[in-house]
Amino acid sequence: MLLSAREAGKIALDFLMEEWSISTDEKDWFVVLSSRMLGPYWYVVEIGVEGLPDKWFIQVYDTGECDPNYTFSSPIRGLERYMDLKEMPSIIAEIVVSERNSR
């Protein structure tokens, strides 16, 4: 394996931040929760927003590339309240609302 778990986590986080055009200041809201090697050539990286149960799962290959078809998981349904998002920057709240609604 060419990457460490830490490197895979950074690559996945950078991928999502670029995908969503998140600024450096707002990037601090996101955290790598885990980075697990699955097979000899790739990791699954779990990313979340501090204080929320929502999670994104991204595959990172040993080439440093991310699979653009990541998985989103949340115990909160799109039709439920969004009170947990009121203290966040609007761009982050919009991303979470969009992901919850698309499930």
Side-chain angles (χ1 to χ4, degrees):
M1 175 58 70
L2 301 174
L3 296 175
S4 69
R6 180 176 291 220
E7 290 169 328
K10 181 182 179 338
I11 290 168
L13 184 59
D14 290 346
F15 168 79
L16 279 183
M17 298 305 100
E18 185 176 319
E19 181 84 5
W20 297 328
S21 301
I22 299 293
S23 74
T24 304
D25 295 335
E26 293 158 338
K27 182 179 178 179
D28 292 340
W29 283 84
F30 293 88
V31 61
V32 174
L33 301 170
S34 70
S35 183
R36 296 181 309 275
M37 185 186 302
L38 295 177
Y41 304 110
W42 55 287
Y43 284 90
V44 170
V45 178
E46 181 180 351
I47 295 176
V49 174
E50 193 72 40
L52 294 181
D54 309 89
K55 296 175 185 172
W56 292 266
F57 299 90
I58 299 146
Q59 292 180 354
V60 180
Y61 301 102
D62 65 350
T63 61
E65 298 291 319
C66 294
D67 185 338
N69 297 313
Y70 57 84
T71 301
F72 175 76
S73 176
S74 178
I76 300 172
R77 298 284 178 220
L79 299 175
E80 294 180 16
R81 301 179 315 153
Y82 295 108
M83 296 300 293
D84 57 341
L85 305 176
K86 66 181 180 179
E87 301 296 324
M88 303 192 159
S90 61
I91 186 71
I92 296 172
E94 289 173 23
I95 289 168
V96 173
V97 166
S98 174
E99 293 280 19
R100 287 178 182 174
N101 286 339
S102 68
R103 295 182 335 122

